[in-house]
Amino acid sequence: MHIILLGAPGVGKGTVAKMIAEKFDIPHLSTGDILRDNVNKKTYVGNQAKEYMDNGKLVPDDIMIQMVKGRVLEEDCKTGFILDGFPRTIRQAEALKLIFDELNIVVDAILNLKASQEIIIERLSGRRTCKNCGAIYHIKNIPPKVEDKCDKCADRLYQRDDDKKDIVKERLMVYKTQTKKLISYYEKQDSFYEINANKKADEMFAEVCKDLGKAGKSG
Ligand code: AP5
């Protein structure tokens, strides 16, 4: 199964992607996670991406396209994957189409998560992420059992640097001016579904599963 997840920063893409990946046993390809891993390891890509990410800007298309192309060719992607955070520009979407055509991949579902601006800001300001396994929490909505400790691996939770107020503002602006255009690029396709992400995570996931059922993928 091949799924593309769209939506503003903080809308819940990572949260729902992890649930889908687990249910359907496919890898979760989060370009944000891959970039953060590269930044931590100080790789060539990480060093190039860091300044853009720290300022809430998009990393240049050429870097992103190469990175995603390399990742989808890996063995674990043979039976499918869920793409979270890519594409983010029309150029990335066009490049993705070429990659999919080349690999004979048909997209089963394009899910566009939508929530109000107030909810998005509240979610980003309370987000905590596990340094070790990447699990996502929220101090109020989805709290860990023990404060600042991951339920899954007991490692320390942290607040992402780009969740600071000014950077969040910039990321939301970048979404509005560059990434939102993808909705009109994809919305006419039969496999496009709009998801109401104002709901609780399990309700949002139930809606996603219903739409995946319509797309012929009930898992
Ligand atoms: P990336 O890491 O992809 O960040 P993003 O798109 O801004 O999305 P987020 O990870 O912030 O949010 P999310 O929608 O996954 O929400 P989450 O599930 O965590 O990208 C970071 C940076 O990398 C970019 O700024 C850019 O520089 C670069 N980059 C990445 N991809 C790129 C590309 N293709 N091109 C160029 N540059 C790229 O949820 C948020 C919070 O809400 C959590 O606390 C969660 O617990 C809570 N929550 C989630 N759902 C619910 C719910 N239903 N109810 C209550 N709480 C919820």
Side-chain angles (χ1 to χ4, degrees):
M1 170 162 39
H2 299 89
I3 300 174
I4 297 174
L5 264 188
L6 303 176
V11 71
K13 299 184 297 298
T15 301
V16 86
K18 286 181 195 303
M19 294 163 114
I20 297 171
E22 194 176 330
K23 181 173 166 77
F24 294 95
D25 196 22
I26 50 172
H28 167 207
L29 311 188
S30 156
T31 45
D33 286 350
I34 300 172
L35 286 169
R36 278 184 288 279
D37 189 44
N38 274 279
V39 170
N40 288 338
K41 290 179 178 151
K42 297 191 167 54
T43 65
Y44 177 70
V45 165
N47 292 339
Q48 282 187 308
K50 187 175 183 325
E51 201 179 325
Y52 296 100
M53 297 174 79
D54 285 349
N55 291 301
K57 309 271 188 213
L58 292 184
V59 174
D61 286 336
D62 290 334
I63 298 177
M64 296 310 302
I65 293 164
Q66 273 309 106
M67 197 179 91
V68 168
K69 192 167 183 184
R71 182 64 185 92
V72 301
L73 286 172
E74 285 179 29
E75 191 61 30
D76 64 332
C77 290
K78 284 246 158 73
T79 54
F81 49 81
I82 174 157
L83 261 179
D84 160 12
F86 188 95
R88 253 171 157 109
T89 63
I90 298 291
R91 196 166 151 234
Q92 290 181 16
E94 285 166 347
L96 186 65
K97 186 177 178 328
L98 291 180
I99 296 170
F100 281 2
D101 287 350
E102 208 178 296
L103 300 174
N104 283 321
I105 290 174
V106 176
V107 181
D108 297 292
I110 300 153
L111 306 172
N112 181 38
L113 270 51
K114 277 181 82 176
S116 70
Q117 181 97 342
E118 299 78 65
I119 283 192
I120 283 175
I121 290 172
E122 189 264 341
R123 285 183 184 169
L124 286 172
S125 59
R127 171 165 53 194
R128 296 291 181 273
T129 308
C130 176
K131 268 259 180 236
N132 178 46
C133 73
I136 305 167
Y137 300 87
H138 186 281
I139 48 173
K140 280 199 206 125
N141 307 339
I142 308 171
K145 291 188 185 109
V146 179
E147 201 182 332
D148 287 336
K149 257 196 174 177
C150 179
D151 292 350
K152 294 185 177 135
C153 70
D155 214 310
R156 191 169 59 85
L157 304 184
Y158 80 109
Q159 184 166 30
R160 271 171 46 180
D161 285 343
D162 62 350
D163 280 349
K164 287 179 190 136
K165 218 172 167 188
D166 283 356
I167 310 296
V168 163
K169 236 171 142 183
E170 180 60 29
R171 285 163 62 206
L172 291 172
M173 182 56 74
V174 166
Y175 172 74
K176 249 187 210 158
T177 54
Q178 299 187 57
T179 307
K180 227 176 163 183
K181 291 178 187 152
L182 289 175
I183 298 173
S184 31
Y185 179 88
Y186 282 122
E187 72 186 345
K188 288 187 187 73
Q189 300 193 15
D190 289 343
S191 50
F192 181 89
Y193 297 96
E194 210 148 80
I195 307 295
N196 177 0
N198 290 305
K199 305 175 191 173
K200 288 184 183 158
D202 51 353
E203 292 168 0
M204 184 165 88
F205 181 53
E207 188 179 332
V208 165
C209 289
K210 212 166 129 194
D211 286 336
L212 290 177
K214 281 185 221 153
K217 304 281 164 187
S218 47

